[in-house]
Amino acid sequence: MTKDLLRFRIASALLALAILFFLAHSVGLEDFYRAIIHASPAGLFSAVMVYSLSWVLRTVRLDCLVKNAGADIGAWELFKLYISGNALNVLLPAKLGDAAVVFYLRMQGIGLGMSTAIAVQSRILDVLALLVLSLPSAIMLFHEKTPEWISLMLVGSLIIAALPLGVVLLSTTGILPHLINKNFRFLNKNKYIILFMEKAKDAYLEYIKLASIKRLFAISLLLSLIIWLLEILTCYATSLAVGAQVPLLAVVLGVSLANMGKVAPATPGSIGIYESILAAVLALFGVTMKTAIPLAILDHAIKNSFTLALGVPATTSQGLDLCELAKKSQAQEY
C-alpha cells in the first residue's frame, strides 16, 4: 500500500467520523445518547431480521445473473463473496469492494468481462429500483416545488440509469461497436492502453449480452425492488424502535436518496453522507433533528454492523485479498 493511498484512507475515515460527531453534537450529545440507549431492543432486533431478508434476495439476484453466465456457484459461496465485497465497501472508500467481487467471480471461472458486467448490472438495477421507489414518493410528498437538491439527486440518478440503456440501444444501431472496433493509430503506441481497450470492449460486449435478456432483466429488477423495500422497512422498524412518528413515504424517499448519495463515496461506506441525507429528508416532513439524526445513524449502523459481522469473517475465510485476486485473475487471462 502506497503512502498516498494510506493517507487517503485515513483522511476519508476521519471525515466520516467528523461528520458523525458533528451530527450528534448538533442535537446535543446527551440527547443523542439518550435516544440511542432508550431504543427498543425488540424493535432493533426486528430491523435486523428485516435487513437480513434483503441479503437473501441479494444472493438470489446474483445467482440469477451468475447462472446466465453458465457458472454453477453454490448459494452460500455467492452470499459470502457478495457480503465480503460489501464489507470492504464499508471499510474502504471508492467502492473497492465491487472490484473484489469482480475478481472473485473471475476466480470462480467467470470471464473478466462477464464478471465486470454482472457487478455493473447489479449497481444499475439498484439505481433503477431506487428511482422507481423515490420518484412516485417525491411526487406525492411535494405538492408544489421539490427542493432543488432533491431534484438534482433524482436527475443525476436518472442520467446514471439512462446511460446503460443508451449503450444497449446504440449497440443495436452498430454505432458503438463500430467505434470500439475502430483502430486508432495513436493507441498502437501504448500496449497498456491497447490492453485496457481490449478488456473494456470485452466488458461492453458481455454487458450488452447480459442486459439484453428481457426475462432476466425483469426478474432481477423485481428482486431489486423487493430488496430496497426491505431496506426501507428496516429504517421504518428502526424508527418504531426509537419511538419516532415518521411518515412511511418520507422513509421511502429518505432511504432512496441516502443510498443514491452512495454513488460517489467520499467516505468508507458513505458513512456520514448517508446519515446526513436521510436526516435532512426526514426533517422536511416534521421529524425533529433530535429524532431524525439518531434514527439515521442507528439505521445505517444496523446495516453496516450486519454487513461487517458476516462480511469480515467471510472475507477472512476466503482469503479474499484484492491485490492477490487481481494478480491471479491477470495470470489466468494469459
Side-chain angles (χ1 to χ4, degrees), residues 229-286:
L229 281 172
L230 290 170
E231 286 247 1
I232 289 163
L233 288 176
T234 300
C235 183
Y236 190 71
T238 305
S239 72
L240 296 177
V242 299
Q245 298 295 322
V246 183
L248 183 55
L249 277 179
V251 177
V252 173
L253 183 61
V255 172
S256 298
L257 291 176
N259 280 285
M260 288 176 188
K262 289 184 173 185
V263 172
T267 62
S270 293
I271 295 171
I273 297 171
Y274 177 96
E275 292 86 348
S276 300
I277 295 173
L278 178 54
V281 172
L282 295 180
L284 291 174
F285 303 100

Side-chain angles (χ1 to χ4, degrees), residues 23-79:
L23 291 173
H25 189 268
S26 67
V27 299
L29 294 178
E30 289 187 8
D31 289 337
F32 174 79
Y33 175 76
R34 191 179 299 113
I36 297 294
I37 204 67
H38 288 158
S40 165
L44 295 178
F45 179 76
S46 298
V48 173
M49 289 298 99
V50 172
Y51 185 63
S52 67
L53 290 176
S54 73
W55 271 101
V56 173
L57 293 184
R58 279 185 172 91
T59 304
V60 172
R61 184 182 68 178
L62 183 59
D63 184 55
C64 291
L65 297 172
V66 164
K67 281 183 177 176
N68 176 72
D72 186 16
I73 306 174
W76 178 240
E77 289 300 316
L78 285 175
F79 170 77

